[in-house]
């Protein structure tokens, strides 16, 4: 029998609903939306030097449609020095989630906050920190991506939340996944980690329940509780390989109008995440750097070029060349849209210091190495082997292995990097999506344009699922085939730590020992740096 959810479980110990830590986690997850009180802890985001957005979810036990919450901010966790506050309304119309931006704060300051319900009940206490102003010597942020709950524990979140040297979290997307239980192999599933609903999520109610399941995870709650997060969506917050007009994992004849599903995904993301409704935004970190939140999925991205027909042509190589010189290079193809492209170009010219761009997908050029088929496991299906062979054939013509990434949109990529060069920007891309760890020295027109720290997944499986060869062999092969690639790891999970100083930006990939058990032991790290003005990694 599943343990009974009561108000004490929901708010005890500052962890909110801890259902997924228990053997009956899935059963408890199914009850999440029926729970009352402060059901999912607290969170903060959209940091500024003088403001912060605060988030919680409160479901009243009484029959009412709207409730009013108070919020208190203090300089100490015991709230003996309350310095600010605000009030906010919420209701069933927004799934009882509440967001309020508090102004008049001091820069570079740690605040403690809590929400107070109409009956006097108090939420767990959250910790947040405003952005610094003026000269800054150091700033630290952790970067996460690709957190597929059924595949493992969120040990990366737990490890980061326990650190004392970080000022901010950046989540570059795939915060959750839309797939149903049928898509997960039993061997990959960690017991008790299957979220609700069990089917693929399509409508508002589905997306809300999926977020409720994910946000019931105690390590994710703790992460949000300890520092502010800048978050952007990638594709799985809606559907795999999504773009403005559709998605690979959306079939209109069976799953309805894409625009309705897209609208539902966007609405629920904005309900459940500590984010504003602004599609993109800049976050000044004093005079040290500017961090950018971008949008490259649902608002303006054009449909990825479809290379599949070229492989089936009578003369595949001729078809690939025609595709390369035509559709693939079409300048009308865009990831962000012209409005955001222009905004970002102007921002990089206007803002001082390092230019840190959070992006859903990788910019670095990546083609499939010619020896990749030799690295595959014997169990890989014939269909997948054929796909690798096709990618190798495309690579011979200079085309990438993933059309869904930035190098599938070469004209748009060129525009972004050219704008960085025109601004003489110290460009640092912070990206996710691929599930593996990579470092790229980005170039445009034969000149350095910046560097990219591409993060590995919190739990999602990477290339190692197909590769049977020694990971070092795979790494050497990928770097030999890709001049922009300076380092890679295709077989471990974790997160990135980015340290920004006046002279350099240092990125550290942290690899967790396991995701199959709740364990924050590290299995290794890797560090790389870029010096101010170099626009390339330090050798």
């Amino acid at each position: 029998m599943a343990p009974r959810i009561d108000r004490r479980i929901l708010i005890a110990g500052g962890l909110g609903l801890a259902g997924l830590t228990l053997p009956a986690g899935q059963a408890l997850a199914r009850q999440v939306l029926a729970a009352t009180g402060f059901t999912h802890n607290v969170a903060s985001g959209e940091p500024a030097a003088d403001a912060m957005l605060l988030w919680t979810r409160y479901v009243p036990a009484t029959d009412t449609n709207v409730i009013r919450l108070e919020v208190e901010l203090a300089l100490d966790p015991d709230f003996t020095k309350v310095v600010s506050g605000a009030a906010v309304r919420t209701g069933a119309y927004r799934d009882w989630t509440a967001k309020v931006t508090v102004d008049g704060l001091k820069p570079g300051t740690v605040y403690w906050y809590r929400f107070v319900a109409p009956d006097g009940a108090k939420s767990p206490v959250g910790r947040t920190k405003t952005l610094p102003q003026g000269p800054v010597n150091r700033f630290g942020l952790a970067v996460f991506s690709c957190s597929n709950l059924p595949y493992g524990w969120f040990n990366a979140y737990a490890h980061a939340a326990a650190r004392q040297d970080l000022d901010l979290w950046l989540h570059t997307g795939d915060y959750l996944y839309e797939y149903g239980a049928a898509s997960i192999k039993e061997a990959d599933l960690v017991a008790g980690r299957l979220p609700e609903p069990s089917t693929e999520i399509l409508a508002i109610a589905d997306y809300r329940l999926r977020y409720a399941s994910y946000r019931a995870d105690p390590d994710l709650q703790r992460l949000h509780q300890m520092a502010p997060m800048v978050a952007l969506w990638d594709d799985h917050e809606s559907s795999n390989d999504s773009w403005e007009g559709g998605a690979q994992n959306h079939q209109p004849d069976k799953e309805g109008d894409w625009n309705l599903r897209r609208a539902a995904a966007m609405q629920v993301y904005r309900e459940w995440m500590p984010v504003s409704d602004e599609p993109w935004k800049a976050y000044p970190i004093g005079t040290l750097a500017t961090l950018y939140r971008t949008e490259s999925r649902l608002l303006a991205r054009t449909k990825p070029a479809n290379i599949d027909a070229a492989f089936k042509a009578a003369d595949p190589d001729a078809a690939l060349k025609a595709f390369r010189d035509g559709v693939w290079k079409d300048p009308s193809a865009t990831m962000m849209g012209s409005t955001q492209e222009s905004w970002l170009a102007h921002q990089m010219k206007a803002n001082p210091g390092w230019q840190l761009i959070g992006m859903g997908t990788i910019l670095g050029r990546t083609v499939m190495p010619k020896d990749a088929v030799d690295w595959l496991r014997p169990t890989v299906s014939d269909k997948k082997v054929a796909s690798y062979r096709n990618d190798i054939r495309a690579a011979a013509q200079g085309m990438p292995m993933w059309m869904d990434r930035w190098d599938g949109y070469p004209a748009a990529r060129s525009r972004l990097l050219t704008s960085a060069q025109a601004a003489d920007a110290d460009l640092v891309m912070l990206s996710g999506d691929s599930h593996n760890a990579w470092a790229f020295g980005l170039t445009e027109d034969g000149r350095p344009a910046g560097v990219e720290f591409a993060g590995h997944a919190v739990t999602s499986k990477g290339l190692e699922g197909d590769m049977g060869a020694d990971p070092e062999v795979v790494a050497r092969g990928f770097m030999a085939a890709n001049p922009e690639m300076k380092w890679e790891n295709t077989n471990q999970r974790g997160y990135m730590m980015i340290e920004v100083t006046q002279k350099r930006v240092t990125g550290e990939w942290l690899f967790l020992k396991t995701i199959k058990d709740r364990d924050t032991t590290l299995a290794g790290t890797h560090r790389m740096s870029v010096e101010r003005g170099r626009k390339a990694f330090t050798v």
Side-chain angles (χ1 to χ4, degrees):
M1 177 180 295
R4 182 175 68 87
I5 297 180
D6 60 24
R7 191 163 168 274
R8 290 172 298 172
I9 293 177
L10 291 172
I11 63 175
L15 289 178
L17 181 64
L20 291 180
T21 70
L22 304 174
Q26 185 178 357
L28 281 178
R30 284 195 289 268
Q31 301 176 47
V32 167
L33 295 186
T36 59
F38 288 102
T39 65
H40 286 79
N41 210 306
V42 295
S44 63
E46 301 298 350
D50 60 354
M52 188 69 68
L53 183 150
L54 306 176
W55 179 100
T56 195
R57 183 174 186 267
Y58 180 83
V59 182
T62 58
D63 185 15
T64 183
N65 293 322
V66 178
I67 54 104
R68 183 177 185 272
L69 299 174
E70 302 283 346
V71 63
E72 300 174 336
L73 279 86
L75 296 176
D76 65 308
D78 295 324
F79 287 80
T80 62
K81 300 176 182 179
V82 175
V83 294
S84 186
V88 62
R89 293 182 186 181
T90 187
Y93 58 90
R94 57 170 300 112
D95 203 17
W96 302 104
T97 60
K99 294 192 294 189
V100 60
T101 297
V102 180
D103 284 306
L105 306 180
K106 294 182 178 180
T109 301
V110 171
Y111 289 93
W112 303 86
Y113 64 96
R114 66 188 178 190
F115 289 82
V116 182
D119 64 358
K122 294 179 175 64
S123 74
V125 175
R127 176 190 180 277
T128 195
K129 187 178 183 180
T130 52
L131 294 180
Q133 200 169 52
V136 180
N137 292 324
R138 179 196 177 277
F139 191 85
L141 65 153
V143 183
F144 309 95
S145 65
C146 306
S147 312
N148 200 335
L149 190 146
Y151 284 84
W153 292 95
F154 291 161
N155 294 329
Y157 293 155
H159 189 276
R163 297 178 67 144
Q164 302 298 313
D165 58 345
L166 294 169
D167 300 291
L168 180 71
W169 316 132
L170 172 65
H171 205 295
T172 62
D174 296 343
Y175 182 93
L176 54 66
Y177 282 71
E178 83 280 15
Y179 298 123
S183 69
I184 304 167
K185 295 179 181 178
E186 187 174 351
D188 295 328
L189 178 64
V190 172
R193 299 285 287 174
L194 191 65
E196 291 295 317
S198 60
T199 56
E200 185 176 330
I201 52 178
L202 300 172
I204 286 179
D206 301 333
Y207 283 97
R208 284 173 169 171
L209 184 52
R210 186 61 58 86
Y211 276 94
S213 291
Y214 269 69
R215 290 293 294 274
D217 180 89
D219 296 320
L220 179 51
Q221 287 193 14
R222 186 67 173 173
L223 186 81
H224 278 298
Q225 190 179 5
M226 295 307 295
M229 177 182 285
V230 169
L232 55 104
W233 60 53
D234 192 32
D235 54 343
H236 289 290
E237 288 89 349
S238 54
S239 188
N240 184 57
D241 288 357
S242 53
W243 56 285
E244 183 183 13
Q248 176 275 330
N249 191 32
H250 182 80
Q251 291 71 47
D253 58 328
K254 298 177 181 178
E255 297 170 332
D257 187 340
W258 165 250
N259 288 320
L260 294 177
R261 184 177 186 181
R262 181 179 67 149
M266 291 169 61
Q267 175 181 327
V268 177
Y269 184 88
R270 287 167 172 164
E271 289 173 350
W272 276 85
M273 297 294 288
V275 298
S276 69
D277 290 350
E278 298 159 282
W280 46 81
K281 193 171 182 177
Y283 306 87
I285 304 171
T287 58
L288 177 65
T290 302
L291 173 67
Y292 301 96
R293 169 168 60 82
T294 60
E295 198 291 319
S296 59
R297 273 293 173 190
L298 300 178
L299 300 183
R301 179 196 277 247
T302 52
K303 189 176 184 178
N306 187 352
I307 195 173
D308 293 343
F311 298 127
K312 301 174 184 177
D315 186 345
D317 291 332
L320 285 169
K321 290 178 181 178
F323 175 87
R324 178 194 64 197
D325 298 334
V327 173
W328 182 54
K329 293 183 179 178
D330 185 351
S332 70
T334 178
M335 294 278 279
M336 300 192 300
S338 58
T339 300
Q340 188 181 182
E341 284 184 11
S342 176
W343 168 82
L344 186 56
H346 283 86
Q347 288 283 318
M348 285 192 286
K349 285 183 179 179
N351 293 326
W354 297 95
Q355 307 295 303
L356 312 174
I357 301 181
M359 187 65 66
T361 53
I362 294 173
L363 259 80
R365 295 190 186 278
T366 315
V367 302
M368 186 66 73
K370 60 183 178 59
D371 297 329
V373 171
D374 298 333
W375 306 333
L376 298 178
R377 298 178 187 275
T379 53
V380 171
S381 68
D382 292 342
K383 182 179 180 180
K384 183 162 282 191
V385 171
S387 176
Y388 274 89
R389 293 191 186 281
N390 285 340
D391 286 341
I392 293 169
R393 193 162 200 166
Q397 304 300 333
M399 282 181 291
M401 51 194 276
W402 289 303
M403 286 293 165
D404 189 58
R405 293 189 350 182
W406 273 89
D407 54 357
Y409 296 72
R413 179 187 187 273
S414 178
R415 291 193 296 268
L416 191 159
L417 295 179
T418 298
S419 67
Q421 290 174 329
D424 194 25
D426 281 296
L427 176 67
V428 178
M429 298 300 306
L430 304 173
S431 57
D433 182 64
S434 78
H435 306 175
N436 295 122
W438 319 82
F440 293 93
L442 304 172
T443 61
E444 177 59 30
D445 195 26
R447 295 181 294 124
V451 300
E452 181 168 35
F453 294 93
H456 44 323
V458 172
T459 59
S460 301
K461 294 177 63 177
L463 281 173
E464 76 281 354
D466 293 338
M467 299 295 169
D470 185 325
E472 291 299 321
V473 171
V474 175
R476 289 195 297 269
F478 266 97
M479 286 188 285
N482 294 281
E484 285 192 344
M485 190 181 298
K486 305 307 178 184
W487 173 83
E488 64 91 22
N489 174 294
T490 59
N491 66 306
Q492 291 175 290
R493 309 280 78 82
Y495 70 103
M496 292 192 298
M497 157 66 184
I498 306 295
E499 183 180 64
V500 186
T501 66
Q502 288 291 343
K503 292 184 177 181
R504 65 180 56 85
V505 172
T506 300
E508 183 177 31
W509 290 264
L510 296 99
F511 304 107
L512 275 300
K513 178 182 177 182
T514 182
I515 59 172
K516 298 305 180 183
D517 297 296
R518 206 168 175 209
D519 183 354
T520 58
T521 305
L522 291 179
T525 63
H526 181 78
R527 293 168 63 92
M528 296 183 71
S529 296
V530 55
E531 294 181 357
R532 188 72 172 268
R534 286 283 303 273
K535 301 176 176 60
F537 284 113
T538 302
V539 178

